[in-house]
Amino acid sequence: MKPSYLLGLAPCASAVEHYVSYKSPITHSPGSCLWKLPPPQLACGLDEVDISRSPSASRGANGGKDHGNQTGGPRQIANSKSINTPPLSSPPVNEWHGPKECLQKFCIYYNQGFANGRGIVAVTTAPNLDRLKAVDLALNTTKSSSSSDQDQPYTLSPIEGKGLGLLASRPLSRSDPLMSETPALLVHRSFLEGLPPSTDQQNLLDKAASYLPPALAKDFYAQMGHFGGHKIIDILATNSFQMNLDPAGKDTGAHHYGNYPEISRFNHDCRPNVAFYIDKTTLRHTTTVVRPVKKGEELTISYLDVTKPREHRQKRAEMAWGFKCTCSQCSLPSPLAKKSDDRLREIETMEKKLTDIYDKEVTPKLLEKLASMYETERLQTKLASPYTLIALNYNMLGEDKMAKKYARLAQEALVIEHGEQDAGDLEAMKGLEADPKGHFTWRARLKMRK
C-alpha cells in the first residue's frame, strides 16, 4: 500500500436526530489527524497532521531519557541491543499475558490465541486490558465475513505505478464482502504522542512485535513504510487506523492506533470501489464492495475525504506524503476536474437545503438530482447520509412510496459504511420503510408551508 495516514470513517451527525429538533443543520464531527487524534473512525483532513508529533519524528533517536523509572512491577524496558522472540505455544491458547516490559504506565500485553488463533499484541495501560478481554468475548460470539484462502474474491498482484495491489478474482457486486480482520498491533495514542521520542520507546515496540505469532509477524513486517527510520514506527505512521476501545467513545484514555496488515494491501483512489468501517465492539476492520467490479479490476479504498474538491484533496495528500494524488479522478483534464468540483460544491449546497425544514425549494426534483449527482461522481462509498436525507425529505413531502424506496437504499448503505451495530439511523430507516405515514416526518414540509 502506498503511504496513507490511514484512518477510518465516521458517520456524521444523525439525520434523523436533526429532524427531531428541526433546528440547526447537520454538522460533521470536528477532528484532527494521525498523531492528533480524531473522533473514532473519522477520516480527517491531512492538512491538520502535525508531522512533528508523528512517530516518524522519533526515527533515528539516539539515547534519550529512560522514562521507565518505576519501582517494582513489570521490568522496565532498557536500551537493549537485541530482541529475542519468545517461544510460541502450539496450538495457540486464548490466554492473555502481561504486563510484560513497560515504559511508564504503558506495558505489553499479548494473546496469541486471540480471534481464533490470529493473535494480537497491545502496548497499552492496565485499564484497557479489560476492554480487550471484552473484545475477545465479543469475537467469540460473532463470525468473521472474511473469505477463506480458497475462495478469496481478490488476488495480490503487481499494479503498474503502484507496486502491489488487490485485483478482483471474479466479478463482484455491491454489498459483496471482502475482508473482516482484527488488528495485529494496538498502540495507545499517548504512548506515541505523549512520550518524547527515545530509544526506549523504539525498544518497547520492537519487543512488542516479537510477541506476534510467526504468520502475523511476517505480514506485519511486509508492510510498506513511508518515512524511514525505526521500522515499526514507520509502519504505524503509514498504515494505522485510530480507534477507541471504549465502545461509547467517551474515554479519551482508550484511544489507540491499530494496524491491520491485510488492509494495507488496498491502494488509494478518490473514487474507490470499496468501503470500510471498524466495528466498535469487535474491532474488526470490514471492507465491502460498493459498485459492480469486473474480474481483474483493482479494488481500492480512499485515504482522503472523497467529497472535497481536487485541489483540497491534493493539498492534503501533498502535506502528508510529499506528493499530489494521481488517482484517476485527480488526473482528469482540468475542464472535467472543474465540472467535478462544481458538482461536489452543489451537492454540499443541496444537502444544506435538505436539513432546513423551512426551505421551500426542496422538491422531488431536487431530491432526484442529489441522488443522481452522487452516482455521477461515483461516490458510492458515501451514500448512507444522502439516502437517509432523501428518504426523510420524500416523507416530509408526502411521497410515501419514494420514502420507502430510499429508506431501503439507506439501510443497505448504512450497513456497508458503518456496520449494523454502529449505523445510528438504521432502526429509524427500518421504521420509515415499515410505516412512512406513521413516521414523525410525514408531510412535515407541507405542514410548514401552510
Side-chain angles (χ1 to χ4, degrees), residues 51-355:
I51 300 298
S52 66
R53 292 300 305 138
S54 76
S56 61
S58 66
R59 59 182 180 268
N62 294 315
K65 295 181 180 180
D66 183 355
H67 300 281
N69 294 326
Q70 303 176 45
T71 58
R75 181 176 66 84
Q76 300 296 310
I77 198 74
N79 293 342
S80 56
K81 295 183 179 180
S82 62
I83 298 294
N84 296 318
T85 302
L88 301 175
S89 57
S90 182
V93 177
N94 192 343
E95 181 180 0
W96 285 95
H97 300 272
K100 294 294 183 179
E101 290 76 2
C102 299
L103 185 58
Q104 294 191 18
K105 64 180 179 179
F106 306 104
C107 300
I108 300 172
Y109 300 89
Y110 72 93
N111 182 347
Q112 294 174 348
F114 184 83
N116 295 319
R118 172 178 169 82
I120 189 173
V121 177
V123 177
T124 189
T125 58
N128 284 303
L129 178 61
D130 290 335
R131 292 187 170 112
L132 286 172
K133 289 179 179 178
V135 170
D136 203 4
L137 288 174
L139 286 168
N140 291 334
T141 61
T142 59
K143 186 177 180 181
S144 169
S145 60
S146 290
S147 303
S148 66
D149 291 340
Q150 288 73 31
D151 64 354
Q152 282 182 344
Y154 51 81
T155 58
L156 184 63
S157 304
I159 308 292
E160 185 177 357
K162 297 182 180 181
L164 294 176
L166 296 175
L167 300 181
S169 58
R170 61 174 182 264
L172 299 171
S173 302
R174 181 170 172 83
S175 296
D176 282 351
L178 293 174
M179 297 183 189
S180 183
E181 304 292 351
T182 54
L185 179 63
L186 279 174
V187 182
H188 197 284
R189 169 200 178 186
S190 295
F191 178 81
L192 294 169
E193 293 184 14
L195 299 183
S198 69
T199 303
D200 290 351
Q201 185 188 52
Q202 296 176 3
N203 286 344
L204 190 77
L205 289 171
D206 287 336
K207 188 67 175 179
S210 75
Y211 287 99
L212 290 168
L216 192 56
K218 182 179 179 181
D219 289 342
F220 177 81
Y221 279 107
Q223 294 175 94
M224 175 183 174
H226 174 58
F227 301 99
H230 185 257
K231 176 69 173 177
I232 295 175
I233 291 178
D234 197 15
I235 288 174
L236 290 173
T238 306
N239 303 290
S240 287
F241 293 79
Q242 69 80 32
M243 62 201 67
N244 193 326
L245 297 189
D246 174 15
K250 296 180 179 179
D251 185 356
T252 57
H255 286 150
H256 290 70
Y257 293 106
N259 178 264
Y260 300 78
E262 297 85 355
I263 307 304
S264 70
R265 299 167 182 169
F266 286 98
N267 285 315
H268 163 77
D269 198 291
C270 287
R271 293 296 180 265
N273 50 25
V274 175
F276 67 88
Y277 66 89
I278 297 175
D279 188 282
K280 294 178 182 178
T281 303
T282 64
L283 301 186
R284 284 195 178 278
H285 186 295
T286 299
T287 47
T288 308
V289 177
V290 296
R291 61 173 176 261
V293 175
K294 298 177 181 178
K295 180 179 180 179
E297 183 179 344
E298 185 179 8
L299 297 165
T300 58
I301 61 176
S302 180
Y303 310 159
L304 300 171
D305 185 347
V306 298
T307 65
K308 297 297 183 182
R310 180 172 71 169
E311 183 179 2
H312 185 278
R313 299 193 306 268
Q314 289 191 334
K315 281 183 177 179
R316 295 191 173 197
E318 190 169 21
M319 186 171 192
W321 311 326
F323 59 85
K324 293 181 179 180
C325 176
T326 57
C327 73
S328 59
Q329 186 70 15
C330 287
S331 299
L332 288 173
S334 295
L336 294 180
K338 183 181 182 302
K339 288 182 179 180
S340 173
D341 290 347
D342 289 343
R343 280 192 292 268
L344 293 174
R345 294 186 182 96
E346 188 174 1
I347 284 173
E348 184 177 6
T349 299
M350 285 192 290
E351 290 182 338
K352 287 180 180 178
K353 284 181 172 292
L354 299 192
T355 63

